[in-house]
Amino acid sequence: MIAAYIVFCVFYHTCYNAFVLVGSSFLRRSSFLMKSFTKERGARVNYVEKLKKDWLGNVRGDVLAGIVVALALIPEAIAFSIIAGVDPMVGLYAAFCIAVVIAFIGGRPGMISGATGAMALLMITLVAEHGLEYLLAATILTGIIQLLFGIFKLSSFMKFVPRSVMIGFVNALAILIFTSQLQHFVGETWLMYSLVALTLAIIYILPRFTKAVPSTLVAIIVVTAMAIFMNLGVRTVGDMGALTQALPIFALPNIPVSFETLMIILPYSITLAIVGLLESLLTASIVDDMTDTESDKNKESRGQGIANMITGCFGGMAGCAMIGQSVINVKSGGNGRLSSLVAGVFLMFLIIVLGGVVVQIPMAALAGVMIMVSIGTFDWSSLRNIHKLPRTDAIVMVVTVGTVVYTHDLAIGVLTGVVLSAIFFAWKVSKVRVEKSLNAKGDIRTYEIHGQLFFASVTDFLDQINYDEDIHKVILDISDAHLWDDSAIGAIDKMEHKFEQRNIKMELKGMNKESTDLMDKIGGLSKASGH
Amino acid sequence: MFKNLLLAIDGSDHSQRAGQKAIELAILEGKGKVEILYVVDGSKSKSDVLQYGDSDSASRKRKKMIAPYEDMMTKASVDFTTTILHGSNGAAESIIDHANNGNYDALVIGSRGLSGVQTMVLGSVSHKVMKHVKAPVLMVK
């Protein structure tokens, strides 16, 4: 099966590359120049070299880092499945499929993708109300949306998500991951609490002595061994759902193909697609920074889309890039495509070999790991810097977090944050300064406008104009202003009209080119329509 | 004696003073060279990208942060180079590796960095550096 996957992925990759190569050589050949032939060959050689570097540039580092990541991925994939309310296998299959597919077609070598908390948190209601099959269908649809997003190169739209909203997103995610663990503590004994404490103690104290083995893994092994040999009788992963020791198989979701089905899954798919891309592109930027290299964000969007489509077909839940795992990967020396492939394949291998042991991991150990994940996800520096931020940015951040914690929906939180930032922005730029001056004779009034004239600022601006002065001419100097929309032109029309009624001539001065164009386009219309 | 100096910085007041001491040390013998080292570890990458939007803006901010140190060197006409290390497993480990792999006569470092909380949880960078760097270390208070 693994071989089949790899064959498929290689096939896709080759087709894609061949397509690009054929496309580019076709274009070049049409120029009929010998020079272009050499260029083309150069491009192909460069491409092959780049492919070689992406895959084989760092074999030792990638393989070691991949193994470390696989070990760290297992508890997370299981815990995220439990958050979403599905069997642990759903998250493990997702982690396997996504990691393997992204290794081939992702845009950011060195980045690790899989089942994530952000996505799991969005699925809870869908799973609870409609079940796993609908989740798989939603996963495929999420992939399609993300693929379209990448094809139409919409990653630049991410610039509309302000930084304060992204910080709010990350912090809210951390809080939700933490609160999602609280249910495991309800009605538990001191034994469970002390196991969680032990897990956390090992996770945080072990790295002081050695960084050779991942401390989360040691914590899980120690706590699981204690639970098994001391026969503690605490709740385990096995109590939360079944774990089949088999490779995922291809099967389309078993759902009625109808409009109603689409209407059920579409809202979930849209939010999953947005949140997935948001976290993936953020992670890509972080890996860019860690490796001091650049990456293709649109290719990454396409890759995430295809990965989710394939995952949905193989019984895995929707996922995206993982900040924590990607940081672990790069820190452990991984920076090529190979590390993601090794992580995915080794994870599946471990589950098949050690599935029987995995089900005996106490929930306490997983809860401890999740608490560590939430502490690691939270952007603590944002708390330190919050007093340095502009007041409005801080408010946007806090409101984003508040909305997510209240609604349990990251997408709504992001949307609220974006809208609030837009309102703050409009409010800030809508402050128009008007300077008034009279000429020596006292019959010509000049208004100098400084700022942006648009729907939100015109009222403010018109309030400062006095129509009842005893003058015969008004000069409106807008050389330091910009007219943005119909409302701005309308306001100037209105002024002219009012002054006309009082037999005062109005003169416009210092229009920039854009404003003149806008005036010609809209101003002419509004006059012709007789307003 | 102290011709080839490594100066590890993090933008704090302590490392500002460390910069001055590195210059004094370089001038003491005449013609000493200083390498300014700044380490961007994994968690730093994450918080910087979140704070500044993307990797490019983060790099710009870091260059701005390093500029005063470079000015200091230029003013004192001390030869210097700048190295920024990315993606490492902890700032201390990177400084130690870099210092032990290069041929430095001394490492100059501030006694305390920016991250107070981290110091409590993970142990301080300066402390680890003191322990593991083979060259003499000048820790500036």
Side-chain angles (χ1 to χ4, degrees):
Chain A
M1 261 330 273
I2 292 177
Y5 272 113
I6 297 170
V7 167
F8 172 80
C9 295
V10 170
F11 176 73
Y12 174 86
H13 205 59
T14 331
C15 287
Y16 183 78
N17 298 339
F19 180 74
V20 171
L21 279 177
V22 168
S24 58
S25 47
F26 178 76
L27 280 177
R28 289 199 174 109
R29 234 157 250 174
S30 60
S31 65
F32 292 110
L33 279 172
M34 269 319 282
K35 221 166 114 191
S36 71
F37 279 112
T38 44
K39 238 193 210 164
E40 174 217 321
R41 194 172 300 137
R44 187 178 295 162
V45 168
N46 282 344
Y47 192 84
V48 171
E49 259 168 24
K50 189 175 177 300
L51 212 62
K52 222 166 149 186
K53 196 180 138 255
D54 277 359
W55 277 102
L56 303 171
N58 177 30
V59 176
R60 194 171 163 269
D62 280 352
V63 170
L64 283 176
I67 291 171
V68 171
V69 169
L71 296 172
L73 263 177
I74 293 176
E76 288 194 21
I78 294 172
F80 293 142
S81 314
I82 292 168
I83 289 178
V86 293
D87 280 346
M89 282 326 286
V90 180
L92 290 167
Y93 284 161
F96 166 62
C97 293
I98 296 175
V100 169
V101 175
I102 283 292
F104 290 94
I105 57 176
R108 174 65 261 181
M111 185 163 88
I112 301 294
S113 300
T116 59
M119 305 291 264
L121 288 161
L122 295 171
M123 305 164 183
I124 301 171
T125 351
L126 178 65
V127 174
E129 286 174 5
H130 300 279
L132 173 64
E133 297 296 324
Y134 279 82
L135 169 63
L136 300 183
T139 299
I140 297 174
L141 187 57
T142 302
I144 296 172
I145 296 172
Q146 291 180 329
L147 180 62
L148 292 175
F149 201 96
I151 289 174
F152 293 112
K153 302 199 188 315
L154 298 178
S155 71
S156 56
F157 269 85
M158 288 300 168
K159 69 177 176 228
F160 289 110
V161 181
R163 291 181 307 212
S164 43
V165 176
M166 277 320 288
I167 297 175
F169 170 86
V170 167
N171 290 348
L173 174 61
I175 294 171
L176 285 193
I177 291 178
F178 182 78
T179 53
S180 72
Q181 296 310 307
L182 297 179
Q183 52 171 317
H184 299 305
F185 290 87
V186 179
E188 281 290 347
T189 54
W190 63 270
L191 189 61
M192 147 87 176
Y193 287 81
S194 42
L195 284 184
V196 174
L198 176 66
T199 309
L200 284 169
I202 296 174
I203 288 175
Y204 284 111
I205 295 172
L206 188 71
R208 279 171 165 260
F209 301 102
T210 174
K211 284 189 174 176
V213 273
S215 61
T216 45
L217 182 72
V218 175
I220 285 191
I221 291 176
V222 168
V223 174
T224 307
M226 274 176 66
I228 294 175
F229 295 116
M230 295 163 76
N231 211 0
L232 293 178
V234 287
R235 270 194 308 151
T236 62
V237 171
D239 299 332
M240 307 303 292
L243 200 141
T244 34
Q245 283 166 271
L247 281 167
I249 43 164
F250 181 87
L252 288 175
N254 181 20
I255 45 154
V257 182
S258 67
F259 186 68
E260 281 84 58
T261 310
L262 182 69
M263 281 299 107
I264 292 170
I265 61 173
L266 187 64
Y268 290 99
S269 296
I270 291 174
T271 47
L272 283 169
I274 294 171
V275 168
L277 286 178
L278 218 55
E279 192 174 349
S280 298
L281 298 185
L282 171 68
T283 312
S285 288
I286 293 172
V287 177
D288 283 355
D289 195 58
M290 285 186 80
T291 55
D292 203 19
T293 51
E294 302 215 336
S295 64
D296 184 344
K297 305 288 185 293
N298 286 311
K299 187 177 179 190
E300 187 55 48
S301 307
R302 294 196 299 272
Q304 291 287 336
I306 295 166
N308 275 326
M309 283 159 66
I310 295 177
T311 306
C313 294
F314 283 90
M317 63 196 226
C320 62
M322 317 176 77
I323 300 177
Q325 298 293 339
S326 303
V327 170
I328 292 177
N329 182 45
V330 180
K331 272 185 178 179
S332 314
N335 57 27
R337 292 181 178 276
L338 193 60
S339 66
S340 181
L341 179 70
V342 170
V345 172
F346 191 61
L347 169 133
M348 209 61 237
F349 169 76
L350 282 176
I351 289 304
I352 289 173
V353 176
L354 299 173
V357 184
V358 169
V359 289
Q360 302 200 47
I361 297 175
M363 284 311 295
L366 276 195
V369 172
M370 281 298 105
I371 291 172
M372 181 277 290
V373 168
S374 83
I375 292 173
T377 304
F378 201 92
D379 181 34
W380 296 98
S381 69
S382 68
L383 286 188
R384 271 203 300 279
N385 296 330
I386 198 160
H387 62 281
K388 283 191 221 151
L389 286 176
R391 188 72 48 83
T392 51
D393 283 6
I395 293 173
V396 167
M397 205 266 271
V398 172
V399 168
T400 306
V401 173
T403 313
V404 175
V405 172
Y406 183 70
T407 62
H408 283 250
D409 189 328
L410 287 160
I412 294 178
V414 169
L415 197 66
T416 311
V418 170
V419 170
L420 190 62
S421 311
I423 293 173
F424 277 141
F425 174 73
W427 178 64
K428 272 186 217 156
V429 295
S430 71
K431 284 184 193 136
V432 175
R433 198 158 51 83
V434 179
E435 275 173 28
K436 303 175 189 180
S437 57
L438 265 181
N439 69 340
K441 257 169 85 187
D443 59 351
I444 302 177
R445 166 69 75 188
T446 307
Y447 290 104
E448 256 182 65
I449 322 274
H450 303 273
Q452 314 294 324
L453 280 183
F454 66 112
F455 67 92
S457 63
V458 286
T459 351
D460 208 22
F461 152 66
L462 286 175
D463 282 350
Q464 302 185 51
I465 309 291
N466 182 0
Y467 299 103
D468 298 321
E469 278 182 303
D470 187 19
I471 45 173
H472 80 266
K473 191 177 172 189
V474 162
I475 297 172
L476 193 60
D477 186 349
I478 54 168
S479 39
D480 192 33
H482 193 114
L483 309 184
W484 283 105
D485 59 4
D486 190 44
S487 305
I489 309 291
I492 287 174
D493 271 0
K494 195 166 145 194
M495 262 182 82
E496 201 172 1
H497 186 66
K498 275 200 175 174
F499 279 123
E500 245 169 41
Q501 283 177 333
R502 291 164 176 79
N503 279 324
I504 301 170
K505 257 187 71 185
M506 194 180 98
E507 188 188 308
L508 264 180
K509 216 175 104 187
M511 285 256 272
N512 63 20
K513 174 131 191 336
E514 275 171 75
S515 301
T516 316
D517 289 351
L518 187 74
M519 190 76 135
D520 286 348
K521 225 161 84 185
I522 311 176
L525 277 178
S526 69
K527 270 204 172 146
S529 60
H531 285 296
Chain B
M1 254 307 260
F2 294 118
K3 287 244 183 277
N4 214 356
L5 303 170
L6 183 63
L7 168 67
I9 59 159
D10 68 351
S12 65
D13 290 347
H14 289 275
S15 68
Q16 196 87 23
R17 286 195 288 280
Q20 260 135 23
K21 288 293 161 198
I23 290 176
E24 283 170 27
L25 206 55
I27 294 175
L28 197 68
E29 294 259 333
K31 290 239 171 195
K33 265 192 284 183
V34 177
E35 180 179 342
I36 303 171
L37 174 67
Y38 181 60
V39 177
V40 186
D41 68 355
S43 42
K44 184 84 186 143
S45 271
K46 184 189 144 203
S47 57
D48 278 2
V49 165
L50 272 171
Q51 202 181 340
Y52 304 123
D54 56 32
S55 180
D56 288 343
S57 327
S59 308
R60 227 175 12 253
K61 290 281 169 185
R62 285 176 203 135
K63 283 207 184 102
K64 246 191 189 160
M65 195 280 287
I66 296 171
Y69 295 87
E70 296 180 330
D71 288 349
M72 232 156 48
M73 304 283 161
T74 318
K75 261 190 208 140
S77 33
V78 169
D79 264 359
F80 70 94
T81 50
T82 308
T83 309
I84 301 179
L85 292 179
H86 287 262
S88 59
N89 194 1
E93 286 78 357
S94 297
I95 295 174
I96 293 165
D97 278 354
H98 194 79
N100 287 347
N101 288 335
N103 190 18
Y104 302 102
D105 300 321
L107 166 71
V108 187
I109 191 170
S111 66
R112 219 160 1 120
L114 287 171
S115 48
V117 186
Q118 239 185 348
T119 310
M120 283 184 343
V121 181
L122 298 172
S124 85
V125 171
S126 318
H127 181 81
K128 275 191 199 163
V129 167
M130 285 296 266
K131 252 164 83 179
H132 299 288
V133 169
K134 286 178 190 135
V137 179
L138 174 63
M139 188 183 278
V140 182
K141 283 197 182 172

